[in-house]
């Protein structure tokens, strides 16, 4: 594999035999291999035990398990999406193909637009902007598609202020990149590669951290169709749609089903339905100080965050890190006992038992030492009582006579006993 891998395109799962996540991925990975082969894909699918071939794993920068990489020539692309069959196959087909895909006709453009919720298009001839576009595509192809087209291929409703241009099509409309307003092309594409409104989960929230945006989320129960749950979701959707020009550079909008992930992130119990704004770069969050009743209330809440009048909670300070360590430890213990009480008793009971025995031994040793130290005064007292019956010289002579009367075996036995006593 190491010698011949550059002759083909490889999709490789680097795993460890003891890894639980790797075992969970295994049946999905088998389905990926079967389907990629059946569709005639040029991508070869394989898996490698990174613990047995650690040198190769290190060469590709594998630091955790499982790690999915697409190897294409000298390049290795990390997969960071959901671990589902369809998502992995879509990633492989996207990265294995050309960086910039041409759109030769309006029919092809319409077909591509129906297939992809977000797509970037370069319009124009050779230029420094195109070179930059290709450079960005080589880095961000793992996330989205990049296309090129001539001006007459675009829909009639598209108007361009100048050429060349880079556009993003999403949310039923399009937006043109403006270097003076939007800054660096890489940053702009990284921000715009998401739809304006998302169904947010833990993975998506992690990915949104790369955009530098604050994330405004309606935390609801998708199975609950009550008015309050639907109202908060509608408010976030309206703000994302109607106030895009005001907030899209600073905010991403969406909703999240359930509060379990948010509770672990905030180390607090949020009552749903509610609205929370997260700063994924420093783990700060904002909660509204009053009930959000309509779109105007939400807009005011966002403006308060932007102008600094809204109180930020959480963060990544020292106290918060200590709190995070305690919270994670507590959560781990609780989850272990919930999933397997016997295993929890063994994992945590055994170390506590050993520590208890050690502490008992230390305390007992200290007590014996204290008793030994208290014995000499008694001996001295006894000696003083003996002096009342005779002089010290007489007592010493009597001891010598007793010792001479003892046999050699008795002397050895007494010596052993004295050592034991010491």
């Amino acid at each position: 594999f190491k010698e011949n891998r550059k002759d083909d395109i490889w999709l490789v799962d680097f795993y460890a035999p003891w890894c639980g996540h790797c075992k969970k991925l295994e049946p999905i990975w088998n389905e990926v291999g079967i389907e990629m082969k059946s569709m005639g894909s040029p991508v070869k699918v394989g898996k490698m035990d990174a613990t047995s071939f650690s040198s190769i794993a290190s060469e590709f920068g594998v630091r955790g398990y499982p790690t999915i990489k697409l190897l294409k020539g000298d390049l290795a692309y990390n997969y960071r999406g959901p671990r589902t069959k369809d998502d992995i196959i879509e990633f492989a087909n996207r990265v294995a193909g050309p960086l910039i895909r041409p759109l030769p006709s309006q029919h092809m453009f319409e077909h591509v637009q129906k297939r992809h919720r977000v797509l970037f298009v370069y319009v124009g001839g050779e230029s420094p902007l195109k070179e930059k576009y290709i450079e960005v595509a080589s880095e961000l192809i793992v996330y989205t598609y990049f296309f090129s087209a001539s001006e007459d291929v675009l829909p009639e409703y598209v108007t361009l202020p100048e050429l060349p241009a880079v556009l993003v099509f999403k949310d039923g409309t399009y937006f043109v990149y403006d270097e003076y307003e939007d800054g660096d092309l890489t940053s702009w594409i990284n921000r715009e590669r998401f739809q304006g409104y998302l169904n947010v989960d833990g993975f998506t929230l992690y990915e949104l951290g790369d955009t530098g945006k604050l994330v405004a989320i309606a935390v609801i129960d998708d199975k609950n169709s009550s008015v309050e749950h639907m109202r908060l979701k509608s408010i976030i959707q309206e703000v994302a749609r109607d106030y895009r020009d005001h907030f899209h550079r600073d905010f991403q909008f969406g909703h999240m089903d359930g509060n379990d992930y948010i509770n672990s992130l905030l180390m607090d119990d949020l009552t749903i339905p509610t609205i929370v704004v997260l700063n994924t770069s420093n783990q700060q969050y904002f909660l509204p100080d009053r009930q959000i009743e309509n779109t105007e209330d939400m807009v005011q809440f966002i403006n308060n965050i932007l102008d600094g009048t809204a109180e930020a909670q959480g963060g990544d300070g020292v106290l918060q890190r200590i709190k995070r360590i305690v919270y994670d430890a507590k959560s781990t213990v609780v989850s272990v006992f919930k999933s397997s009480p016997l295993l929890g008793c063994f994992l945590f009971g055994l170390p506590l038992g050993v520590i208890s025995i050690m502490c008992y031994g230390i305390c007992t040793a200290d007590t014996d030492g204290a008793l030994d130290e208290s014995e000499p005064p008694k001996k001295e007292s006894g000696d003083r009582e003996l002096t009342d019956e005779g002089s010290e010289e007489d007592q010493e002579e009597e001891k010598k006579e007793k010792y001479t009367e003892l046999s050699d075996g008795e002397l050895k036995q007494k010596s052993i006993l004295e050592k034991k006593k010491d």
Side-chain angles (χ1 to χ4, degrees):
F1 167 78
K2 186 177 180 181
E3 295 174 355
N4 302 320
R5 70 167 186 84
K6 291 184 180 181
D7 299 334
D8 299 291
I9 301 174
W10 281 90
L11 182 67
V12 182
D13 167 28
F14 294 91
Y15 71 96
W18 45 260
C19 170
H21 295 292
C22 302
K23 294 176 182 177
K24 187 176 180 181
L25 176 65
E26 185 173 0
I28 299 172
W29 195 253
N30 292 336
E31 293 178 7
V32 169
I34 293 171
E35 186 157 336
M36 294 286 284
K37 185 176 181 180
S38 65
M39 67 173 58
S41 172
V43 179
K44 293 187 175 182
V45 181
K47 60 181 181 180
M48 179 177 290
D49 183 352
T51 61
S52 298
F53 302 97
S54 57
S55 60
I56 297 180
S58 298
E59 180 183 339
F60 293 118
V62 176
R63 294 181 176 83
Y65 310 112
T67 293
I68 298 174
K69 287 179 177 285
L70 187 134
L71 310 177
K72 184 180 178 183
D74 293 324
L75 301 174
Y77 296 91
N78 284 333
Y79 175 69
R80 298 172 62 184
R83 288 168 185 164
T84 64
K85 182 191 72 172
D86 293 338
D87 287 305
I88 293 172
I89 291 175
E90 197 271 343
F91 161 81
N93 290 332
R94 181 174 67 248
V95 180
L99 283 178
I100 313 297
R101 301 165 189 255
L103 297 173
S105 64
Q106 287 188 354
H107 176 73
M108 180 62 73
F109 184 92
E110 292 171 359
H111 173 72
V112 168
Q113 196 171 15
K114 289 177 181 177
R115 289 188 59 190
H116 306 297
R117 296 176 180 176
V118 179
L119 63 125
F120 294 90
V121 181
Y122 172 84
V123 182
E126 298 296 326
S127 68
L129 181 61
K130 184 176 182 179
E131 294 177 3
K132 181 64 177 177
Y133 184 72
I134 295 172
E135 180 184 335
V136 175
S138 65
E139 178 184 350
L140 300 182
I141 188 68
V142 294
Y143 300 119
T144 189
Y145 285 89
F146 294 88
F147 299 91
S148 64
S150 58
E151 190 173 7
D152 58 351
V153 170
L154 301 179
E156 295 181 357
Y157 61 82
V158 176
T159 57
L160 298 176
E162 61 180 0
L163 290 177
V166 177
L167 300 83
V168 58
F169 290 84
K170 65 177 185 178
D171 302 331
T173 184
Y174 71 96
F175 306 97
V176 182
Y177 167 66
D178 186 326
E179 183 178 1
Y180 298 101
E181 291 187 5
D182 299 316
D184 181 64
L185 181 62
T186 304
S187 301
W188 180 76
I189 291 178
N190 205 29
R191 290 195 306 268
E192 296 293 341
R193 63 187 176 91
F194 296 97
Q195 292 178 279
Y197 182 89
L198 297 170
N199 184 354
V200 181
D201 55 16
F203 169 77
T204 308
L205 200 59
Y206 173 78
E207 288 295 299
L208 288 171
D210 294 337
T211 66
K213 291 183 178 182
L214 299 175
V215 187
I217 304 174
V219 186
I220 62 174
D221 183 356
D222 271 342
K223 298 178 182 178
N224 192 326
S225 58
S226 65
V227 175
E228 182 65 13
H229 286 255
M230 300 306 296
R231 184 178 63 82
L232 289 182
K233 183 178 178 180
S234 298
I235 288 174
I236 296 291
Q237 287 175 328
E238 290 175 11
V239 173
R241 181 185 65 246
D242 300 338
Y243 291 85
R244 174 190 155 81
D245 292 339
H246 296 84
F247 301 134
H248 81 278
R249 287 186 176 87
D250 301 304
F251 281 85
Q252 175 67 49
F253 299 92
H255 77 274
M256 177 174 281
D257 181 21
N259 61 347
D260 291 340
Y261 186 82
I262 291 292
N263 288 345
S264 65
L265 195 66
L266 273 55
M267 297 180 289
D268 197 2
D269 293 326
L270 287 183
T271 303
I272 57 174
T274 189
I275 288 176
V276 60
V277 175
L278 303 172
N279 186 339
T280 55
S281 62
N282 61 7
Q283 298 183 348
Q284 285 186 341
Y285 63 94
F286 302 84
L287 296 173
D289 55 1
R290 58 190 175 89
Q291 184 71 21
I292 301 294
E293 299 290 346
N294 48 47
T295 304
E296 288 72 22
D297 289 342
M298 187 65 200
V299 171
Q300 183 61 47
F301 177 44
I302 292 175
N303 285 326
N304 290 343
I305 295 174
L306 290 175
D307 62 26
T309 57
E311 180 183 0
Q313 303 181 49
D316 54 0
V318 176
L319 293 178
Q320 284 298 124
R321 292 179 184 179
I322 295 173
K323 184 179 177 181
R324 169 65 63 185
I325 293 172
V326 174
Y327 180 86
D328 290 342
K330 179 181 175 182
S331 300
T332 302
V333 173
V334 171
S335 63
V336 168
F337 274 99
K338 280 185 177 180
S339 60
S340 179
L342 292 177
L343 178 62
C345 292
F346 176 78
L347 290 177
F348 300 104
L350 182 62
L352 289 175
V354 173
I355 293 172
S356 299
I357 293 172
M358 292 175 63
C359 292
Y360 176 77
I362 293 171
C363 295
T364 305
D366 289 340
T367 304
D368 292 342
L371 290 173
D372 291 342
E373 290 174 0
S374 64
E375 285 178 0
K378 292 181 180 179
K379 186 177 180 181
E380 290 174 6
S381 175
D383 290 344
R384 281 194 297 270
E385 290 176 1
L386 286 172
T387 55
D388 293 339
E389 297 177 0
S391 65
E392 292 181 1
E393 290 80 359
D394 295 335
Q395 293 174 28
E396 290 295 330
E397 290 178 1
E398 289 177 4
K399 287 181 181 179
K400 289 179 180 178
E401 290 174 0
K402 289 180 180 180
Y403 274 107
T404 54
E405 292 174 0
L406 293 173
S407 66
D408 292 340
E410 289 173 331
L411 284 172
K412 291 180 180 179
Q413 185 176 2
K414 186 172 182 180
S415 176
I416 293 170
L417 289 174
E418 287 177 349
K419 288 181 179 179
K420 288 183 178 180
K421 185 177 179 181
D422 292 339

